[in-house]
Amino acid sequence: DLIAARSATDHRFRELADAAPFIAWMSTPRLKVTYVNSRWWEFVGLSPEALPPEGVDMVAVHRDDLGRLTEASRDGRAFSQT
C-alpha cells in the first residue's frame, strides 16, 4: 500500500541521513524546518528535549546564511550550506 511504502522510504532516508558524516536538514518552501539529522543535533549542542520554544527553525540556519536561504526560497531555488 502507498502509505506503508512512503513510511518505509522515509525511514530509510532518516537512517541514511543519520549515518552521514555531515549535517543534513530539510525545510518546506516556506522555511519551516521539517528534519535535522543526528549530526545537526551534535553540532548545535542541543537535544530535541532542550529546544527553545521557537523550535528548530530559529537555530537550524546560521545567521550569516539566513539572507541567502530566504532569497533562494523566494526565488524557488535550492539552497545549501557548505
Side-chain angles (χ1 to χ4, degrees):
D1 121 288
L2 188 57
I3 294 172
R6 172 67 189 261
S7 178
T9 299
D10 286 350
H11 179 74
R12 283 192 302 270
F13 166 78
R14 291 173 192 280
E15 284 184 334
L16 178 64
D18 278 337
F22 50 81
I23 295 171
W25 57 273
M26 296 186 306
S27 72
T28 67
R30 296 205 177 265
L31 307 181
K32 173 74 176 149
V33 175
T34 58
Y35 173 78
V36 295
N37 71 349
S38 58
R39 298 288 186 264
W40 183 90
W41 291 109
E42 293 169 12
F43 180 76
V44 299
L46 291 174
S47 68
E49 298 79 26
L51 274 179
E54 301 85 14
V56 171
D57 297 343
M58 298 304 291
V59 293
V61 180
H62 191 277
R63 66 181 170 272
D64 292 346
D65 293 322
L66 192 55
R68 290 186 317 119
L69 172 63
T70 303
E71 183 178 301
S73 174
R74 182 187 63 233
D75 297 343
R77 293 181 287 113
F79 173 81
S80 66
Q81 292 175 282
T82 55

